[in-house]
Structures are given as structure tokens and as C-alpha cells.
Amino acid sequence: MQGGNTVQIKAIRGFSDILSPETTRWKSLEDRAREVLEGFGFSEIRIPILEQSELFSRGIGEGTDIVEKEMYTFTDRGGDLITMRPEATASVVRAYLEHKMYATDPVAKLYSIGPMFRHERPQKGRLRQFHQINAEVFGISQPAIDAEVMAIVMHYLAGVDAARCVLQINSLGCSRCRLPFKEKLRVFLKDHLPQLCEDCRRRMDQNPLRSFDCKVQGCREVMTKAPLISDDLCAECAEHFSAVRDYLELLEMSYEVNPMMVRGLDYYTKTTFEVIADGLGAQNTVAAGGRYDGLVTALGGPDIPGIGFAVGMERLLLIVPDEGLSSGPSLFIAALGKEPQREAFRISYTLNRAAVRTMTDYEGRGLKAQMRRADKSGARYVLILGEDEQRAGKAILRDMADGRQEEIPLPSICERLVGKIRGEIL
Ligand code: ATP
Ligand code: MG
């Protein structure tokens, strides 16, 4: 037999393990998102990781960064061209249509939480597998819902104590106002051709708006002088935008208008928004979203308006306070001797079943070693059970916070410990 290859296998670049106690922080952010969204009438949808590639090229748009450069696309063993979802909206729309949700209710509010995949350069706040909280509303074209959706995001962020978040809004107009605007922008870009990057030049004909989103310094400078879509909105879009602002004010939401904001996805119409956080450096957009009234038809469905958003979990975690959460046990049982160990095993199982996190030593180590482990585990209480104690029908409970000890009678020990520890924690 050949010798095994013992080179250690590492995770792929841009794909992270999320370890405890970090997982506790994730869970509390996710739980809070569910609470807030369900409170506003959203229900959960779970969509697959893999979709036909065409869903994204049609749903996100051919000329976008995501579709051009970032998708994990491959041919599977059956010869189908498939993609690991880079965002959720296209999949949610596909599911919405596939299950004809519009036939049962004119309005659908759906949310999902899960991983997305984009082949980008990994850096702070940018991974290749990252996670989003995503929410979509179908069937409401009125501006009130635009404001409500933004308010929900801000309410959620405030509820998890996210630091200094600013809501920025813009309107991208509809196809009617965007078509002539694109032409105007093309003319402007042609005048500044030498200062533009490769990508901007190439995309100028197909989608000149992309240049507003370009991160290259030269392009950014050019774009500060570019014509703005907000000056060229058609009457309907202008009215919609002003109503959105009015509703935001009604909800006492502060916001900034950022006329340079376009989104990375092609399908946005009218309202778009981003939530920018202080202290995130270059990757400072924590959440983003907008209206996509043309997407449902673009994916083969009836003419149904939509609006949604996505919160980036990794970026959110960078701006919410670290509460120093511990995933350690509440109780450590140090048992000495064969019989006490059996008893410790039984008590530990019973307490864990009652959701009192309990740890014990399975290896029969000495008392010193067990106390060291107990200390390291961060457990508030240690139960000491030796052969003498067992014969006397009791165990000793030590409160590690103040070193106080008390005797607990063995016959009702589980009930007593649950009561004591729960009572202390609550
Ligand atoms: P950016 O301009 O930062 O690339 P984007 O426009 O590509 O963002 P969206 O597609 O709108 O981002 O995704 C919504 C949110 O998901 C972002 O605001 C961000 O918080 C998060 N996000 C997007 N891409 C990544 C990534 N590669 N790693 C971590 N989070 C991400
Ligand atoms: Mg991006």
C-alpha cells in the first residue's frame, strides 16, 4: 500500500469556517431578523443553492459584474450549465412564478437567510461564500411599501445595535426615462473616453449606468461630473420618488439622497437604496435593495411589481457590538472514582436534556486536572462528586464567581441543579 498523503487540507480561499462563540452571534442576528420580518408579515422561503445559469444571466443582467466576472458556474455531470446562487432575488422570483404564488394572493412577502457565492477578491467584508438576509415583496407598486421596506431594514439594524448606519436613496427611473438618459450618459462617457477603465468602455454601449458603480479612481472622478438620472425622471417616476420621501418622513426616518447611486443589478427600477455604515472601510455597504418592477416579466411571469433588499451578514457582524458571548457550559461536573463518574455521566445527560449546559470528564482524570478544565470551560458552577461524598449521599456545588460552596443531596440533585442554575441565570 502506498503511504497516505498527509498534507493538511485547508478551506478554499474566501470560504470561511464560522466557529463558536461567533456562531452564537450569527444565530442571534438571524433570530432577530426572523422576528422583525415575521412581525411585518413576511414568511420564510428556502431556495436552492444551485440554479440554471440562465436564471442569473436573465435576472441579474448580462453586463453586470456578477454575471460577467463573479459567478461560480460549471457544467455538472449531466451536462447542464449551473450556477451557485450569487444573490437571492432571481431565485425567489423563479420560485414565486414556479409555484404561481400570485394566483393565491396578490401580495407575497418572502424572506430567506443563507449563503451566496461570488468569485471576488477576498478582503475585509468581502468573501467568496458570504451570507445574506434577504426579503422581497411582490404585488405592491405603491411608494408606501418602498418606504416601509427601508424602514424595516433600519429598524432591524437599530435593534441589533449596528453602529452609525445611514440610509441613502435614489431613483433609477423606469425604462421610459432611463432610455433617453442612457443615451445622454453615453455621449458624456464618449467625451471622457481616455479617462475610463477597460470595463467602462466596453460596457458603455450596453449599460453606461454601470460606470456610476465603477470602483476605479479615474472613472470615479469622471463620474462626479456625469449627468444624473434624478434630473431626468419621467413625471410618474418623479412623483413616485417624492412620495417615497414623504412616507419616509412620515415614519420619521432620516435618509440622504445619493443621486450617484446605481445598483450592481440590472433589474432595478425607480427606488434604490443602500445602507452605509461607518467604520467598514471600502466595503461599507451593509444592506442594499430596491424596486424591480420589470424582473418578474423578464423571467417569464405576469406584470407584477417587486421590491426587496439584502443585508450582508459578514459586514453586519463587523459593526454590531461583540457582547463577549460565551458558548461554555453552565456547569462542570468533576467526578472522582468509578461510581461517581457513572453518576456524573447520568446527571450531565439529564441536565443537558433540561437545556442546562453541562460538561463532565469522560477520561477519569485527577481532581486537579478536572478543576483546570472546569476553570477553562468558563462554567459558573462546578459540582464535585467523590466517593466519600457519594457514600454520604451528597455532592458539593461550588460557585466559581465567589468561591462559595454548598452541599446538594444526591437523591433530588438534578431537579435542584436545574432550579438553581436556571434561577441564577434568569
Ligand atoms: P459591493 O458594491 O460591495 O460589491 P454589491 O452591490 O455587489 O456590493 P449586493 O449584490 O447589493 O452587493 O449585495 C447586498 C449586500 O450583500 C451588500 O451590501 C453586502 O453587504 C453583501 N455582499 C455583497 N457581496 C459580498 C461579498 N463578496 N462578501 C461579503 N458580503 C457581500
Ligand atoms: Mg459586488
Side-chain angles (χ1 to χ4, degrees):
M1 204 179 89
Q2 284 197 334
N5 181 352
T6 53
V7 174
Q8 201 185 325
I9 295 168
K10 300 265 174 65
I12 304 169
R13 194 164 122 84
F15 288 69
S16 303
D17 299 310
I18 303 158
L19 308 178
S20 168
E22 203 50 19
T23 39
T24 312
R25 299 179 72 212
W26 281 75
K27 189 174 172 301
S28 85
L29 291 182
E30 290 163 359
D31 288 350
R32 181 74 188 135
R34 289 172 194 282
E35 231 172 78
V36 168
L37 288 164
E38 286 171 16
F40 277 93
F42 287 77
S43 31
E44 186 177 10
I45 177 168
R46 299 196 184 197
I47 44 185
I49 302 282
L50 294 174
E51 296 274 4
Q52 288 186 47
S53 301
E54 196 193 338
L55 174 67
F56 302 112
S57 47
R58 262 166 67 187
I60 300 173
E62 290 285 0
T64 58
D65 272 354
I66 295 182
V67 171
E68 275 189 345
K69 314 189 246 197
E70 298 172 356
M71 293 203 309
Y72 279 92
T73 296
F74 55 94
T75 311
D76 74 0
R77 286 167 194 272
D80 291 324
L81 192 63
I82 56 180
T83 294
M84 294 172 77
R85 61 179 193 202
E87 57 109 42
T89 307
S91 306
V92 175
V93 173
R94 188 221 16 91
Y96 174 75
L97 292 176
E98 197 164 328
H99 303 284
K100 296 196 172 52
M101 292 184 208
Y102 50 85
T104 45
D105 196 327
V107 173
K109 294 181 171 184
L110 305 169
Y111 79 87
S112 67
I113 301 178
M116 305 296 156
F117 304 86
R118 297 184 195 174
H119 196 277
E120 304 189 75
R121 193 169 70 79
Q123 53 197 289
K124 186 180 171 198
R126 196 178 290 292
L127 285 107
R128 290 180 171 176
Q129 174 175 335
F130 61 99
H131 301 75
Q132 287 182 340
I133 298 161
N134 174 270
E136 317 288 347
V137 179
F138 296 100
I140 305 177
S141 61
Q142 292 307 310
I145 193 71
D146 305 32
E148 183 172 292
V149 159
M150 291 185 250
I152 292 171
V153 179
M154 297 311 280
H155 166 63
Y156 169 64
L157 293 174
V160 296
D161 287 332
R164 297 176 299 273
C165 287
V166 177
L167 172 65
Q168 294 194 346
I169 66 170
N170 193 22
S171 174
L172 288 185
C174 59
S175 51
R176 235 175 317 146
C177 32
R178 208 146 59 191
L179 225 65
F181 174 74
K182 277 186 177 177
E183 198 38 53
K184 192 164 159 185
L185 187 58
R186 256 182 224 114
V187 172
F188 168 84
L189 292 173
K190 282 198 179 115
D191 284 346
H192 295 80
L193 212 55
Q195 290 114 285
L196 296 177
C197 74
E198 275 291 307
D199 279 348
C200 284
R201 290 188 208 181
R202 189 172 40 78
R203 294 196 287 215
M204 193 165 65
D205 287 325
Q206 199 187 359
N207 198 345
L209 281 169
R210 278 284 87 72
S211 294
F212 280 111
D213 219 16
C214 184
K215 312 236 157 40
V216 177
Q217 194 51 35
C219 303
R220 285 190 165 208
E221 273 162 36
V222 170
M223 296 315 286
T224 56
K225 289 165 278 172
L228 298 169
I229 177 86
S230 47
D231 297 328
D232 277 357
L233 294 178
C234 69
E236 189 201 320
C237 288
E239 194 184 315
H240 186 98
F241 192 45
S242 117
V244 170
R245 298 176 57 168
D246 188 48
Y247 281 116
L248 281 174
E249 279 147 34
L250 181 65
L251 299 182
E252 293 176 6
M253 301 287 308
S254 43
Y255 65 88
E256 290 171 2
V257 176
N258 175 1
M260 303 263 296
M261 185 211 306
V262 295
R263 302 281 314 120
L265 318 182
D266 262 358
Y267 51 66
Y268 282 107
T269 53
K270 294 183 175 156
T271 315
T272 55
F273 62 95
E274 290 191 354
V275 181
I276 311 289
D278 244 14
L280 275 193
Q283 276 61 248
N284 61 356
T285 311
V286 189
R291 182 170 272 288
Y292 46 80
D293 291 347
L295 181 61
V296 179
T297 28
L299 291 175
D303 187 10
I304 293 173
I307 179 165
F309 67 83
V311 179
M313 290 284 290
E314 282 79 1
R315 291 189 198 174
L316 178 57
L317 277 151
L318 293 172
I319 57 161
V320 298
D322 185 352
E323 283 153 18
L325 295 166
S326 148
S327 57
S330 307
L331 175 74
F332 188 98
I333 309 178
L336 278 173
K338 209 160 176 237
E339 274 313 305
Q341 260 180 31
R342 277 173 60 85
E343 184 62 358
F345 175 69
R346 187 189 68 82
I347 298 173
S348 151
Y349 172 72
T350 310
L351 291 188
N352 278 317
R353 236 175 36 172
V356 172
R357 266 184 182 239
T358 306
M359 220 168 122
T360 185
D361 182 81
Y362 293 84
E363 308 289 345
R365 291 182 179 87
L367 184 62
K368 248 191 172 162
Q370 291 195 48
M371 289 308 282
R372 261 202 310 273
R373 252 193 99 197
D375 203 37
K376 247 181 127 173
S377 76
R380 164 83 187 267
Y381 295 99
V382 179
L383 187 75
I384 302 160
L385 184 61
E387 276 163 345
D388 288 349
E389 283 84 11
Q390 194 165 28
R391 263 194 300 274
K394 61 186 188 195
I396 297 160
L397 185 70
R398 179 186 293 179
D399 185 338
M400 301 297 270
D402 55 15
R404 268 199 299 207
Q405 300 200 153
E406 65 179 295
E407 289 184 352
I408 313 252
L410 281 178
S412 55
I413 191 157
C414 291
E415 295 85 333
R416 279 168 186 263
L417 287 172
V418 170
K420 168 127 190 121
I421 293 170
R422 287 244 183 93
E424 291 282 350
I425 287 171
L426 287 177

